[in-house]
Every structure is written in structure tokens, then in C-alpha cells.
Amino acid sequence: MEYRGYDSAGIAVIDPGDGALAMRKKAGKLANLEKEIAEVPLPDAVIGIGHTRWATHGGPTDRNAHPHTGRNGRVAVVHNGIIENFATLREQLERAGHELGSDTDTEVAAHLLELELESGVDLTVAMQRVCSVLEGAFTFVAVDRLDPERIVGARRNSPLVVGIGDGENFLGSDVAAFIEFTSDALELGQDQVVTITREGAAVTTFRGEPAEGRRYTVDWDLSAAQKDGYDWFMRKEIFEQPRAVADSLLGRRSTSGRLVLDEMRLSDDELRDIDKIIIIAAGTSFYAGMVAKYAIEHWCRIPVEVELSSEFRYRDPIVDNQTLVVAISQSGETADTLQAIRHARKQRSKVLAICNTNGSTIPRESDAVIYMHAGPEIAVASTKGFVTQLVACYLLALYLAQVKGTKYGDEIDAVLAQLSCMPEGIQTMLDRAEEVYALARRHRDASTVLFLGRHAGYPVALEGALKLKELAYLHAEGFAGGELKHGPIALVENQLPVLCVVPPQGRDFLHEKMLSGIQEVRARGAHTICFAEEGDDTIVPFADELIRLPRVPVLLQPLVAVIPLQLFACELATLLGHDVDQPRNLAKSVTVE
Ligand code: F6R
């Protein structure tokens, strides 16, 4: 599973000699684990579990690597996903005298499973019972050393596939884990538990009722399997966005219903004293920051500046201990952003990181962190990184509104409810991918493409242009709708494609003004491609081509409006024969200034 990106790995097997669990775990690359196993070899075993971890709860250390065991070392578990109610469960276990050796949510599940086993049930029933009390999204795979004939897996909102072999069976997060041994697979449904033995696989629901998985034959090779059948990691990651956004919304509330951040080392009093926010970021993350400005200023009434991290230090920024610097970075390692937060901290300002990579340098050097929980992003161009950064920014804005009291609790609840509908909205756009691909085919010969947006749609236009530059190597520019007449309109010539992000209707003059911008370019011969919400008929006369967006509030519209722009760039670059996952001259993590 190495291609998925990970920060530690581990394996547990049951020793056929003495029935003991033999386990090795190491932070870092698989090579570290391989070295450990070479030094301290594992017994020859026929049953075992392994895991590559992408840290969510607890940093990427040997101790936090999976598998995790129960109190008496009888059960070993690996886990993907997030257990939302793990803090409550951990508290209960600790009150009952359990000592937990890691910071992970997984270890809680291991202890619970072992308690069930000790009550006399088998691992399958133990798994059913434990999964029934867990909230969140998860996949588990577990072994019981006293029952060395079976492996039990379970899933809710997180993938798990069974590989059916001849006298051997497998479980994996995707078919890439076992494709070299078998192409017969069984896909599990939601809330199902599977028990595999050498002979076969039996599926039940969490309630113990018999269930069926979906049998299919995999006709991909290993490289396609790693991409889940997609041609590019980027396309796979685009299609993962409903799940990524849902995951990034998980576990954000305490038992009392208040919003919580992942790692908060700033008190409410310190946050109340904040009188200015400066967001620093680079590239796509910078555009997420621009959207954040609209949300934070509107919901919290705090002035926000958005600054490119590479420029921040050089303008002698005015920051003090009442300034909150928000650093947005998918990788957590971008050198420009890192140097900017170091500079900000020297001026005594507080730093909050929005990051996808647990334990990376930027969150380590920050006072507070919101993790994006997008899962590893492999393609160089950021897609699910961007949408989950947006979610984290909205959560930050709501958190500040909660602390500062600029929004009532029920108003915050209302926005959270709107956010919880966004995965569905994104899916609606993905379901329209064919329309966007057809658009890309029609414009494959374009040499310049312009993007227009206003308000929260402006950063989306900039992001659409960046995607096209980095993937299709095209001249692409994003503009604020109102700025056109101040110069850029001179670029417009006959049949020039202009992609327009149209704001939702009913927002004062915003929509109307955007329409004027579109008319201006159209009158000069541009070919307008409009992305406008369903039911917006006013746009029809001015759109040469029209793709519908679901109806969502204006501040959240970037989450749905960016999807067709990502698909457009990905498809156009594919048609032009470029390497979409690794565009020329670019690196995933830019660790030089
Ligand atoms: C664009 C892209 C880059 C990154 C930028 C910042 O698709 O991926 O523009 O957004 O290099 O990277 P992070 O967020 O890791 O700091």
C-alpha cells in the first residue's frame, strides 16, 4: 500500500510455534521496518496483519504506528479512519484502569475488542459489538492470538476489500494489496464485518445478521489498481473529494456540542484578544486563504489580510501578540510558509496551522493546528487538499465566531449543517464529469484561457487558472470580474474561451455585477463558459456553454465551483498527452525558498 503515502508502518503475525503475537513497528519509510525485521526476524507465520499509517491522532512515531494491541496483548488491530467518540471511550477505559501506550484512537478499539474477547465471545462477535459503539469512519482488521485461524475486518465509510485466493485469502484497503496473488475480489458494504480463514470469507452486519459482499473480478494491473482504476492519481483524488470533505468535518465537536480544534495551545482569552489575522500560504493554499478571508471577516468581524508566504517577510509586516497568523499548507513543509511563521513568531504573534500532514514541521512549530484529514495527496497538483483546506478555514472562522461570540450557537449550527451537505453537492458535480470532459475536448486547441469570478468565486477563478497552467501548460489567467475593464479585457479576442464562476443569485449586487462582466467579454467576441447555480435563468442568454452548480450559500460555493475546473484541467492535460500526476518542473513539497 506504499503508494498511498504514509509516515509509519507495522506488522503483526501469530507465531505458529508458541501462539504469541510477534510485532514490529517503525516510523518513517517501509525501509525502516524492513531493516528492523532483518535485524529481529519474524517467525514463519501464515496469518498476520500490516499497515501503513497516515497520522491523524498522535504524531508519526514508532509508538503510534499500527498494529495496536489490547491490555493483555491478545488482540492486534490495524485501523484506517477516525473514531469520533474516541476521547469519551478512552476516558471510560482509563477510569476502568486501562493504561494506553499511544496517542491513537486505534488503541481504544484494540482495548475494547480484547475486553469483548475476554467476556467469552469470538473475534467476529467482538468486532460486531465494538463497531456498534463507535462513531465516525473506520476500517479495522484484527487478529486474536488465541484463535490463529481467522482474521476479522470491518468497515464503515472507509474502504475494505477481500481477495479470494486458492487456499488463502486476503484483506486490503484496496485491491492493490493482493492483486499479485488473486484478481477475485469481494467488496464489502457499509457497516459490515468480514471473517476470513484459509478456506473462505463470511460477511455479517454489525448486528450479526448474515450479509453478502459484492463479488467481482479485477481486470487492472497493479499500477491501475493503485489508482483504483483511474488513469491518474489526480483524477482519483478529485473523485475522492466528497469523502475527503466528509472526513474533514468528522470529530469537530466536543460532547457538549462546541467546536474543537485538533491541537489547541491557545486559550479562549488569547483568541478573544486577537484583533487582526494574517493568512500566509502559497499556490493553491493561498487561494484557499483568500476564500477564508471572506468567511472570517463576515462571521467574526476580524480584519484579515492574505499574503503570499514568500512575500510576507520582505514587507516588514505589522504583527504583534494580538495578531493571529494562519499558515495554510497541505504538506506542512513548504519552506516559504515555514520561514514566514518563524518570522511571525519572532514578532510574538500567535500561529495557527491548517495542514494535512500530521507531525510535519509547520504544525510542530505552531500554537494551534487544524488538520485537514484529506488523507495523503499523491498527485502533485492539489485538489482534495484545496477543498479540505476550505473546510478547515470555515471551521476556523466558526471557531473564532464561537469564542468571540460574534455568532450565536444556533447560527454556527446552521452553517455546520450546510457544510455537512457539501459532500453531496461535490458528488453532484462529479456526476457531471462527462459534461466537463466534453467541454475540454471542444477546447483542446485553445492556447489561452481566461477565468472570471467575483467575491468567493474570484479565488476559484485563480485556482482554475493555476490548475490549467500547471497541468496543461497553457496560458491561463484568473481575474476578478470587476477588474476586467481596467486592462485585462484587452486580451479578449474572437472565440477566446472565458470560464466564468457565477455567484449564487440573491446576493445583493454580486450576481448582477458578474453578469455585466460576462456581457463585456462576450460583446468582444469571447466564448463564455459559465458555471451557474441550478435555476439561474438570467445567465442563459450570455452563456455559450453552461454547466450547472448545485444551489449552495455564496461563501461555500467554492467547494462545488472548483470541481469542474479541476476536471477540466485534468482532462485537457490528458488530451494533450501530459503527465498529469507529475507535471514538468513541479514538486509535491517545495522545501526550498
Ligand atoms: C498547486 C499546488 C501548489 C501548492 C503550494 C503550497 O496545485 O499544489 O501550488 O498548493 O506549493 O503547498 P503546501 O500547501 O503544501 O504548502
Side-chain angles (χ1 to χ4, degrees):
M1 309 303 291
E2 202 179 8
Y3 75 93
R4 288 182 157 227
Y6 62 98
D7 45 42
S8 57
I11 178 170
V13 298
I14 303 179
D15 188 336
D18 60 3
L21 270 181
M23 201 156 74
R24 308 282 181 272
K25 319 200 287 187
K26 272 293 182 215
K29 289 288 157 197
L30 272 182
N32 297 356
L33 180 65
E34 282 164 354
K35 185 162 168 273
E36 169 91 356
I37 294 173
E39 282 162 12
V40 194
L42 285 164
D44 272 343
V46 294
I47 190 157
I49 58 179
H51 188 249
T52 50
R53 173 172 189 251
W54 173 260
T56 56
H57 291 78
T61 58
D62 290 357
R63 203 167 56 96
N64 288 334
H66 300 200
H68 287 283
T69 55
R71 177 159 58 169
N72 297 314
R74 175 171 167 186
V75 72
V77 184
V78 297
H79 161 223
N80 284 339
I82 296 167
I83 303 171
E84 277 203 273
N85 55 338
F86 101 102
T88 323
L89 295 168
R90 186 177 175 123
E91 233 174 80
Q92 286 166 3
L93 284 167
E94 284 173 340
R95 265 206 305 276
H98 287 244
E99 279 176 24
L100 287 100
S102 76
D103 313 313
T104 63
D105 47 350
T106 309
E107 197 182 359
V108 168
H111 279 241
L112 292 175
L113 275 175
E114 199 163 283
L115 280 177
E116 290 293 346
L117 288 174
E118 285 166 357
S119 78
V121 300
D122 64 25
L123 187 58
T124 307
V125 176
M127 185 66 87
Q128 290 159 356
R129 289 188 185 168
V130 170
C131 288
S132 307
V133 299
L134 300 181
E135 289 162 19
F138 46 80
T139 293
F140 289 108
V141 179
V143 287
D144 170 9
R145 72 178 179 82
L146 299 185
D147 186 1
E149 298 293 319
R150 76 169 85 193
I151 302 183
V152 176
R155 71 165 289 227
R156 166 179 288 167
N157 278 329
S158 179
L160 181 65
V161 199
V162 187
I164 308 288
D166 184 9
E168 55 179 4
N169 292 301
F170 309 85
L171 285 168
S173 302
D174 66 46
V175 294
F178 50 73
I179 191 108
E180 58 182 301
F181 306 108
T182 179
S183 52
D184 276 341
L186 180 78
E187 188 185 73
L188 296 179
Q190 260 336 326
D191 288 8
Q192 290 188 341
V193 169
V194 63
T195 305
I196 63 162
T197 59
R198 185 194 290 275
E199 284 76 36
V203 185
T204 71
T205 63
F206 285 179
R207 286 194 300 279
E209 297 138 354
E212 298 263 315
R214 184 182 71 85
R215 268 304 268 273
Y216 65 104
T217 305
V218 186
D219 51 9
W220 312 321
D221 61 10
L222 181 62
S223 126
Q226 290 181 335
K227 295 177 198 136
D228 213 6
Y230 290 102
D231 50 352
W232 305 111
F233 279 113
M234 183 190 176
R235 209 184 301 265
K236 171 173 175 274
E237 286 161 7
I238 291 175
F239 279 83
E240 271 168 14
Q241 290 179 111
R243 170 107 313 275
V245 165
D247 283 350
S248 68
L249 286 166
L250 278 179
R252 301 300 189 177
R253 292 183 147 205
S254 68
T255 36
S256 66
R258 282 177 72 81
L259 269 174
V260 285
L261 303 189
D262 293 288
E263 285 175 23
M264 193 58 187
R265 296 180 281 268
L266 292 171
S267 68
D268 283 4
D269 277 344
E270 283 174 304
L271 288 179
R272 273 184 216 108
D273 285 343
I274 297 295
D275 60 11
K276 179 167 79 171
I277 293 178
I278 303 183
I279 299 178
I280 45 176
T284 291
S285 305
F286 176 74
Y287 301 142
M290 288 177 71
V291 177
K293 175 182 164 76
Y294 294 103
I296 298 173
E297 289 189 336
H298 185 63
W299 291 335
C300 316
R301 310 309 298 158
I302 308 174
V304 181
E305 294 172 21
V306 193
E307 174 95 47
L308 288 169
S309 41
S310 55
E311 287 293 317
F312 179 71
R313 277 197 296 164
Y314 306 104
R315 66 157 172 136
D316 194 11
I318 304 169
V319 291
D320 57 26
N321 64 349
Q322 286 178 294
T323 311
L324 178 68
V325 167
V326 177
I328 308 179
S329 175
Q330 189 283 132
S331 62
E333 300 293 350
T334 300
D336 289 320
T337 310
L338 181 60
Q339 293 308 335
I341 66 166
R342 286 182 177 158
H343 182 77
R345 292 198 81 181
K346 265 198 219 128
Q347 320 285 312
R348 298 181 26 252
S349 79
K350 321 237 164 26
V351 175
L352 180 144
I354 289 178
C355 184
N356 196 32
T357 317
N358 200 305
S360 55
T361 316
I362 290 172
R364 271 209 317 270
E365 296 197 13
S366 301
D367 299 295
V369 190
I370 304 181
Y371 285 111
M372 292 145 54
H373 299 312
E377 195 176 57
I378 308 287
V380 165
S382 187
T383 53
K384 63 177 183 170
F386 179 69
V387 293
T388 53
Q389 280 167 345
L390 291 178
V391 170
C393 289
Y394 296 132
L395 291 170
L396 170 63
L398 294 173
Y399 186 86
L400 292 172
Q402 169 180 281
V403 173
K404 289 199 159 242
T406 51
K407 285 251 168 243
Y408 294 120
D410 59 343
E411 292 172 320
I412 294 176
D413 288 347
V415 180
L416 284 170
Q418 288 164 348
L419 274 172
S420 69
C421 300
M422 296 313 289
E424 210 181 304
I426 296 173
Q427 188 58 52
T428 306
M429 291 320 297
L430 295 172
D431 294 343
R432 292 176 188 161
E434 236 350 285
E435 283 177 55
V436 181
Y437 296 159
L439 194 69
R441 287 194 289 275
R442 288 196 290 276
H443 294 280
R444 64 175 293 169
D445 296 326
S447 56
T448 297
V449 180
L450 300 189
F451 291 76
L452 289 189
R454 278 193 100 112
H455 187 259
Y458 171 40
V460 176
L462 294 171
E463 170 63 1
L466 178 63
K467 283 286 153 293
L468 212 52
K469 281 178 207 162
E470 49 183 356
L471 301 173
Y473 316 146
L474 281 185
H475 172 228
E477 298 282 346
F479 295 107
E483 192 58 15
L484 274 181
K485 54 190 173 300
H486 300 291
I489 203 158
L491 287 172
V492 176
E493 52 190 34
N494 213 20
Q495 289 309 304
L496 176 87
V498 182
L499 280 74
C500 312
V501 180
V502 183
Q505 286 182 291
R507 289 290 312 176
D508 308 325
F509 303 114
L510 191 60
H511 179 270
E512 213 176 283
K513 287 279 185 296
M514 183 68 196
L515 245 51
S516 322
I518 297 172
Q519 287 174 57
E520 280 164 21
V521 288
R522 202 159 179 270
R524 285 156 183 87
H527 181 87
T528 56
I529 301 159
C530 297
F531 302 88
E533 69 178 2
E534 273 141 16
D536 177 356
D537 296 330
T538 56
I539 190 71
V540 176
F542 312 114
D544 293 312
E545 298 182 80
L546 180 57
I547 305 263
R548 288 298 185 182
L549 302 175
R551 298 182 77 140
V552 298
V554 67
L555 279 170
L556 306 189
Q557 201 198 36
L559 282 172
V560 291
V562 76
I563 311 294
L565 307 191
Q566 297 167 340
L567 289 166
F568 183 72
C570 181
E571 185 64 9
L572 198 60
T574 308
L575 292 169
L576 297 175
H578 300 318
D579 182 336
V580 169
D581 283 337
Q582 293 192 325
R584 70 182 181 203
N585 307 339
L586 297 180
K588 185 68 190 157
S589 189
V590 188
T591 51
V592 287
E593 272 188 271

